CSV table of all heavy atoms in Angstrom, one decimal:
chain,number,residue,atom,x,y,z
F,10,PRO,N,153.9,126.1,234.1
F,10,PRO,CA,153.8,127.0,233.0
F,10,PRO,C,153.7,128.4,233.6
F,10,PRO,O,153.5,128.6,234.7
F,10,PRO,CB,152.5,126.7,232.4
F,10,PRO,CG,151.9,125.6,233.1
F,10,PRO,CD,152.8,125.2,234.2
F,16,PHE,N,154.5,133.7,235.6
F,16,PHE,CA,154.0,133.2,236.9
F,16,PHE,C,153.9,131.7,236.8
F,16,PHE,O,153.1,131.1,236.1
F,16,PHE,CB,152.7,133.7,237.1
F,16,PHE,CG,152.5,133.7,238.6
F,16,PHE,CD1,153.3,134.4,239.4
F,16,PHE,CD2,151.5,132.9,239.1
F,16,PHE,CE1,153.1,134.3,240.7
F,16,PHE,CE2,151.3,132.9,240.4
F,16,PHE,CZ,152.1,133.6,241.2
F,27,VAL,N,151.3,129.6,238.8
F,27,VAL,CA,152.1,130.4,239.5
F,27,VAL,C,152.1,130.1,240.8
F,27,VAL,O,151.2,130.4,241.4
F,27,VAL,CB,151.8,131.6,239.7
F,27,VAL,CG1,151.0,131.8,240.4
F,27,VAL,CG2,152.9,132.2,240.3
F,54,ALA,N,148.6,140.8,246.5
F,54,ALA,CA,149.1,139.7,245.7
F,54,ALA,C,149.8,140.1,244.4
F,54,ALA,O,150.7,139.4,243.9
F,54,ALA,CB,147.9,138.8,245.3
F,56,ALA,N,152.0,142.2,244.2
F,56,ALA,CA,153.4,142.4,244.5
F,56,ALA,C,154.1,141.0,244.7
F,56,ALA,O,155.3,141.0,244.8
F,56,ALA,CB,153.6,143.2,245.8
F,68,SER,N,152.4,138.0,254.8
F,68,SER,CA,151.7,138.9,255.8
F,68,SER,C,151.8,138.2,257.2
F,68,SER,O,152.2,138.9,258.1
F,68,SER,CB,150.3,139.1,255.4
F,68,SER,OG,150.1,140.1,254.4
F,71,ARG,N,155.2,138.2,258.7
F,71,ARG,CA,155.6,139.5,259.1
F,71,ARG,C,154.9,140.0,260.3
F,71,ARG,O,155.1,141.2,260.7
F,71,ARG,CB,155.4,140.5,257.9
F,71,ARG,CG,156.4,140.4,256.8
F,71,ARG,CD,156.1,141.4,255.7
F,71,ARG,NE,157.3,141.6,254.8
F,71,ARG,CZ,157.2,142.3,253.7
F,71,ARG,NH1,156.1,142.9,253.4
F,71,ARG,NH2,158.3,142.4,252.9
F,83,PHE,N,161.0,136.9,261.7
F,83,PHE,CA,161.5,136.4,260.4
F,83,PHE,C,162.0,137.6,259.5
F,83,PHE,O,161.2,138.5,259.2
F,83,PHE,CB,160.4,135.6,259.6
F,83,PHE,CG,159.9,134.4,260.3
F,83,PHE,CD1,158.9,134.4,261.2
F,83,PHE,CD2,160.6,133.2,260.1
F,83,PHE,CE1,158.5,133.3,261.8
F,83,PHE,CE2,160.2,132.0,260.7
F,83,PHE,CZ,159.1,132.1,261.6
F,88,ILE,N,162.5,134.5,255.1
F,88,ILE,CA,161.2,134.2,254.4
F,88,ILE,C,161.5,133.7,253.0
F,88,ILE,O,160.9,132.8,252.5
F,88,ILE,CB,160.3,135.4,254.5
F,88,ILE,CG1,159.9,135.7,255.9
F,88,ILE,CG2,159.0,135.1,253.6
F,88,ILE,CD1,159.1,137.0,256.1
F,97,GLN,N,159.7,125.1,245.1
F,97,GLN,CA,160.0,123.8,244.6
F,97,GLN,C,159.0,122.8,245.0
F,97,GLN,O,158.7,121.9,244.2
F,97,GLN,CB,161.4,123.4,245.1
F,97,GLN,CG,162.0,122.3,244.4
F,97,GLN,CD,162.8,122.6,243.1
F,97,GLN,OE1,162.7,123.8,242.7
F,97,GLN,NE2,163.5,121.7,242.5
F,101,VAL,N,154.3,127.4,246.2
F,101,VAL,CA,153.8,128.3,247.3
F,101,VAL,C,152.3,128.3,247.3
F,101,VAL,O,151.7,129.3,247.1
F,101,VAL,CB,154.4,129.7,247.2
F,101,VAL,CG1,154.2,130.5,248.5
F,101,VAL,CG2,155.9,129.7,246.8
F,111,ARG,N,146.1,121.1,242.8
F,111,ARG,CA,145.0,121.6,243.7
F,111,ARG,C,144.2,120.4,244.0
F,111,ARG,O,143.7,119.7,243.2
F,111,ARG,CB,144.2,122.6,242.9
F,111,ARG,CG,143.0,123.0,243.7
F,111,ARG,CD,143.0,124.5,244.1
F,111,ARG,NE,141.9,124.9,244.8
F,111,ARG,CZ,141.9,125.9,245.6
F,111,ARG,NH1,143.0,126.6,245.8
F,111,ARG,NH2,140.8,126.3,246.3
F,122,TYR,N,146.5,110.4,252.4
F,122,TYR,CA,147.6,110.8,251.4
F,122,TYR,C,148.9,110.8,252.1
F,122,TYR,O,149.9,110.3,251.7
F,122,TYR,CB,147.2,112.1,250.8
F,122,TYR,CG,146.1,112.2,249.8
F,122,TYR,CD1,145.6,113.4,249.5
F,122,TYR,CD2,145.6,111.1,249.3
F,122,TYR,CE1,144.6,113.5,248.5
F,122,TYR,CE2,144.5,111.1,248.4
F,122,TYR,CZ,144.0,112.4,248.0
F,122,TYR,OH,143.0,112.5,247.1
F,126,ARG,N,152.8,108.6,252.1
F,126,ARG,CA,154.0,109.3,251.7
F,126,ARG,C,153.8,110.3,250.5
F,126,ARG,O,154.6,110.5,249.7
F,126,ARG,CB,155.1,108.3,251.3
F,126,ARG,CG,155.5,107.3,252.3
F,126,ARG,CD,155.9,107.9,253.6
F,126,ARG,NE,157.1,108.7,253.5
F,126,ARG,CZ,157.7,109.5,254.4
F,126,ARG,NH1,157.0,109.6,255.6
F,126,ARG,NH2,158.8,110.2,254.2
F,144,ASP,N,145.9,116.6,262.0
F,144,ASP,CA,145.4,116.6,263.4
F,144,ASP,C,145.3,118.0,264.0
F,144,ASP,O,144.4,118.4,264.7
F,144,ASP,CB,146.5,115.8,264.3
F,144,ASP,CG,146.4,114.4,264.0
F,144,ASP,OD1,145.4,113.9,263.4
F,144,ASP,OD2,147.4,113.7,264.3
F,168,ALA,N,159.2,126.7,266.0
F,168,ALA,CA,159.4,127.1,267.4
F,168,ALA,C,159.6,125.9,268.3
F,168,ALA,O,160.0,126.0,269.4
F,168,ALA,CB,158.2,127.9,267.9
F,170,PRO,N,159.9,121.4,267.3
F,170,PRO,CA,160.8,120.3,266.9
F,170,PRO,C,161.8,120.7,265.9
F,170,PRO,O,162.8,120.0,265.7
F,170,PRO,CB,159.9,119.2,266.4
F,170,PRO,CG,158.6,119.9,266.1
F,170,PRO,CD,158.5,121.0,267.1
F,180,SER,N,171.0,132.6,261.4
F,180,SER,CA,172.5,132.8,261.3
F,180,SER,C,173.0,132.8,259.9
F,180,SER,O,174.2,133.1,259.7
F,180,SER,CB,173.2,131.7,262.1
F,180,SER,OG,172.8,131.7,263.5
F,189,ALA,N,169.2,126.7,251.9
F,189,ALA,CA,170.0,125.5,252.1
F,189,ALA,C,169.7,124.9,253.5
F,189,ALA,O,169.5,123.7,253.7
F,189,ALA,CB,171.5,125.7,251.9
F,201,THR,N,169.5,116.2,245.7
F,201,THR,CA,170.9,116.3,246.0
F,201,THR,C,171.5,117.6,245.5
F,201,THR,O,172.5,118.1,245.9
F,201,THR,CB,171.7,115.2,245.3
F,201,THR,OG1,171.4,115.1,243.9
F,201,THR,CG2,171.2,113.8,246.0
F,267,HIS,N,138.8,115.1,218.6
F,267,HIS,CA,138.7,113.7,219.2
F,267,HIS,C,139.4,113.7,220.6
F,267,HIS,O,140.2,114.6,220.9
F,267,HIS,CB,139.4,112.7,218.3
F,267,HIS,CG,139.0,112.8,216.9
F,267,HIS,ND1,137.8,112.3,216.4
F,267,HIS,CD2,139.6,113.3,215.8
F,267,HIS,CE1,137.7,112.5,215.1
F,267,HIS,NE2,138.8,113.1,214.7
F,274,GLY,N,151.2,116.4,225.0
F,274,GLY,CA,151.7,115.1,225.4
F,274,GLY,C,150.8,113.9,225.0
F,274,GLY,O,151.0,112.8,225.4
F,316,ASP,N,138.8,128.4,241.3
F,316,ASP,CA,138.2,129.3,242.2
F,316,ASP,C,139.1,130.5,242.5
F,316,ASP,O,138.7,131.5,243.1
F,316,ASP,CB,137.8,128.6,243.5
F,316,ASP,CG,139.0,128.0,244.2
F,316,ASP,OD1,140.0,127.7,243.6
F,316,ASP,OD2,139.0,127.8,245.5
F,347,HIS,N,136.1,125.8,241.0
F,347,HIS,CA,135.6,125.6,239.7
F,347,HIS,C,135.7,126.9,238.9
F,347,HIS,O,135.6,128.0,239.5
F,347,HIS,CB,134.2,125.0,239.7
F,347,HIS,CG,133.7,124.5,238.4
F,347,HIS,ND1,134.4,123.6,237.7
F,347,HIS,CD2,132.5,124.8,237.8
F,347,HIS,CE1,133.6,123.3,236.6
F,347,HIS,NE2,132.5,124.0,236.6
F,357,SER,N,116.1,137.8,236.0
F,357,SER,CA,115.4,136.7,236.7
F,357,SER,C,114.9,137.3,238.0
F,357,SER,O,115.6,137.6,238.9
F,357,SER,CB,116.3,135.6,237.0
F,357,SER,OG,115.7,134.6,237.8
F,365,ILE,N,125.9,129.1,231.8
F,365,ILE,CA,127.3,128.9,231.7
F,365,ILE,C,127.6,127.6,230.9
F,365,ILE,O,126.8,126.7,230.8
F,365,ILE,CB,128.0,128.7,233.1
F,365,ILE,CG1,127.4,127.5,233.8
F,365,ILE,CG2,127.8,130.0,233.9
F,365,ILE,CD1,128.2,127.2,235.1
F,391,GLU,N,123.9,132.3,244.0
F,391,GLU,CA,125.1,131.5,244.1
F,391,GLU,C,126.4,132.3,244.5
F,391,GLU,O,127.3,131.8,245.1
F,391,GLU,CB,125.3,130.7,242.8
F,391,GLU,CG,126.7,130.0,242.7
F,391,GLU,CD,126.9,128.9,243.6
F,391,GLU,OE1,125.9,128.3,244.1
F,391,GLU,OE2,128.1,128.6,244.0
Side-chain angles (χ1 to χ4, degrees):
F16 206 62
V27 73
S68 280
R71 281 180 168 175
F83 296 92
I88 296 173
Q97 191 86 351
V101 196
R111 174 115 179 157
Y122 287 168
R126 304 302 298 173
D144 291 342
S180 300
T201 56
H267 308 285
D316 63 333
H347 190 53
S357 177
I365 64 169
E391 165 69 25

